[in-house]
Amino acid sequence: MMAKAVAIGRGVLQDTTDGGEKMVVWKDFVGKVLDAAEKCPRTAALIHTLSTGEEQQDDLVVPEMALFRQEPEDLSLTDGTNMVREGTQEVLDVDRILKVLDVNCLTEDAPAADVLGNNGIVNCGVGLWILPSFINHSCHPNARRTHVGDHAIVHASRDIKAGEEITFPYFDVLVPVSKRREASRAWGFECKCDRCRFESEDFTLKQEILKSENDLVNGGDMGALVVRLEERMRKSMAKERRKAFLRASFWSAYSAVYDSDKLVRKWGRRVPSEALVAESIADAVGGNENVLRAMLRGSKDANGCGNWLEVEDKVVRIGRATYGKVVKRHAMRALFRLTLDANNNINL
């Protein structure tokens, strides 16, 4: 799916606690949306198909796809639009549009987009894309969005079964379940995906996750944390999908180990290979730049993931899951082969 934004507000913000500059970006963005709605009745009507966040779950209706393919003259401003009369002139219901923006905007600096760098500078981009706004969140998503210019491109990040709901992450899902709960509440919902249920319902597992989270926050030995999680999964004979869920939740711990030669030497074979963990996490959360980078870095010796040709296929798969058709297969293969070149000095 490729959708052009109704409007986008962008700014390069100093990395400070002051939210004043973000507020300027937001006000500029809202002004652009209202201007677009005033100028184009079709745009106004499509905005009014989106939820304000006040409806009951049973009252939410997903419009027919044909609505988004109609010619401009087929959709008037009064088709399902709340209007306010001011004298003899009809004007937009600004209050409703503001509520729609509160719950339907997407940010370009979200983990699902992740196309802008952060080197002490926060690049802020917020926009309204109508059709992608109907896609729900999951911590075990099957789709991903990438932003190219004013377009949002939504593509599958793993195989999708017939009848399975399309979902993508609204926030960073490579964190423990408690952090994901906080993030979902900020969005006004409680995530009940299969991954969140798995990590919340098993009492013994909840205790282990809580202990691991405390170690993560307090800066304990990340190698010990990883080994304890792996042993917990081995003893419980956890299925591969559940292993992937836990590895994704504690990705920062695994990453800290692989980034430290000291920890790798200390824990040795008790820690699974970087390429193996990256592949596992990709199965849980789909494409992700950090996971792709780990797969490339861990694939130099094909440790634990088969021969080079097999690893190349896995790298290409994760790369396409991350970027969709924006990145060609031959480009991913070229990147993989450069990574295997022992004489190159590429900093991944």
Side-chain angles (χ1 to χ4, degrees):
M1 176 201 303
M2 181 180 292
K4 186 173 182 178
V6 172
I8 296 178
R10 293 191 176 105
V12 179
L13 312 181
Q14 297 298 323
D15 192 4
T16 67
T17 57
D18 181 12
E21 294 182 24
K22 284 192 175 182
M23 184 59 67
V24 171
V25 172
W26 175 255
K27 288 182 177 179
D28 175 64
F29 163 65
V30 171
K32 290 179 180 178
V33 172
L34 295 177
D35 184 57
E38 288 175 353
K39 291 179 178 178
C40 178
R42 173 178 171 78
T43 297
L46 288 175
I47 291 174
H48 279 73
T49 64
L50 297 171
S51 169
T52 63
E54 296 178 341
E55 303 91 343
Q56 296 297 318
Q57 187 69 30
D58 294 339
D59 295 334
L60 293 175
V61 178
V62 178
E64 294 293 332
M65 284 297 296
L67 178 67
F68 300 92
R69 291 193 290 264
Q70 288 177 311
E71 295 301 319
E73 60 268 19
D74 296 334
L75 186 62
S76 68
L77 183 60
T78 55
D79 288 340
T81 310
N82 291 339
M83 301 297 298
V84 176
R85 287 190 177 274
E86 189 174 275
T88 60
Q89 184 181 12
E90 289 186 334
V91 297
L92 293 171
D93 185 347
V94 175
D95 183 60
R96 176 183 170 84
I97 291 178
L98 291 176
K99 292 176 181 177
V100 165
L101 295 182
D102 278 341
V103 297
N104 289 282
C105 289
L106 301 175
T107 53
E108 286 185 305
D109 60 345
D114 204 14
V115 294
L116 301 175
N118 181 5
N119 296 313
I121 298 293
V122 177
N123 296 280
C124 175
V126 59
L128 178 65
W129 291 265
I130 300 290
L131 202 51
S133 294
F134 285 100
I135 299 177
N136 285 327
H137 164 87
S138 173
C139 297
H140 179 213
N142 55 26
R144 175 185 168 85
R145 77 179 190 274
T146 301
H147 293 272
V148 179
D150 289 350
H151 288 79
I153 302 172
V154 181
H155 61 86
S157 59
R158 59 179 173 83
D159 291 340
I160 301 174
K161 298 177 182 178
E164 183 180 355
E165 180 183 3
I166 306 298
T167 59
F168 59 52
Y170 288 7
F171 45 78
D172 187 3
V173 294
L174 292 179
V175 294
V177 63
S178 65
K179 295 294 184 182
R180 303 200 308 271
R181 282 203 201 98
E182 290 177 10
S184 64
R185 287 174 188 143
W187 278 82
F189 68 90
E190 181 181 355
C191 184
K192 297 181 180 179
C193 69
D194 53 350
R195 178 180 167 196
C196 286
R197 291 198 305 271
F198 160 64
E199 295 181 11
S200 301
E201 293 175 357
D202 185 312
F203 177 77
T204 304
L205 179 60
K206 283 173 62 176
Q207 296 298 109
E208 179 62 48
I209 288 177
L210 181 60
K211 176 176 173 54
S212 298
E213 282 190 62
N214 289 334
D215 289 347
L216 203 60
V217 171
N218 296 324
D221 187 330
M222 295 298 101
L225 190 162
V226 167
V227 169
R228 189 173 70 244
L229 284 173
E230 290 292 327
E231 289 179 350
R232 169 74 174 77
M233 289 185 279
R234 180 177 55 80
K235 289 178 180 179
S236 64
M237 300 181 67
K239 296 180 179 179
E240 287 304 315
R241 172 173 288 188
R242 294 190 169 189
K243 289 181 181 179
F245 287 165
L246 285 177
R247 287 167 175 165
S249 294
F250 290 93
W251 165 247
S252 60
Y254 284 87
S255 183
V257 173
Y258 301 130
D259 287 341
S260 169
D261 292 337
K262 179 180 178 181
L263 289 177
V264 170
R265 288 194 301 269
K266 178 178 179 180
W267 295 103
R269 295 182 179 277
R270 299 181 68 185
V271 175
S273 74
E274 186 171 25
L276 186 150
V277 171
E279 182 186 9
S280 174
I281 292 175
D283 289 337
V285 302
N288 181 282
E289 285 87 353
N290 292 328
V291 175
L292 175 60
R293 187 180 299 112
M295 187 69 184
L296 283 166
R297 187 172 64 176
S299 66
K300 290 183 179 180
D301 57 0
N303 184 16
C305 283
N307 60 46
W308 282 2
L309 289 178
E310 291 175 339
V311 178
E312 178 182 291
D313 286 341
K314 293 171 183 176
V315 168
V316 171
R317 177 173 59 83
I318 295 175
R320 295 299 294 275
T322 302
Y323 299 111
K325 294 183 178 180
V326 174
V327 174
K328 301 296 184 183
R329 290 181 183 275
H330 64 78
M332 285 305 308
R333 290 196 171 96
L335 179 59
F336 172 76
R337 287 162 186 161
L338 283 171
T339 306
L340 294 184
D341 182 358
N343 296 321
N344 78 76
N345 294 314
I346 292 178
N347 182 6
L348 293 176

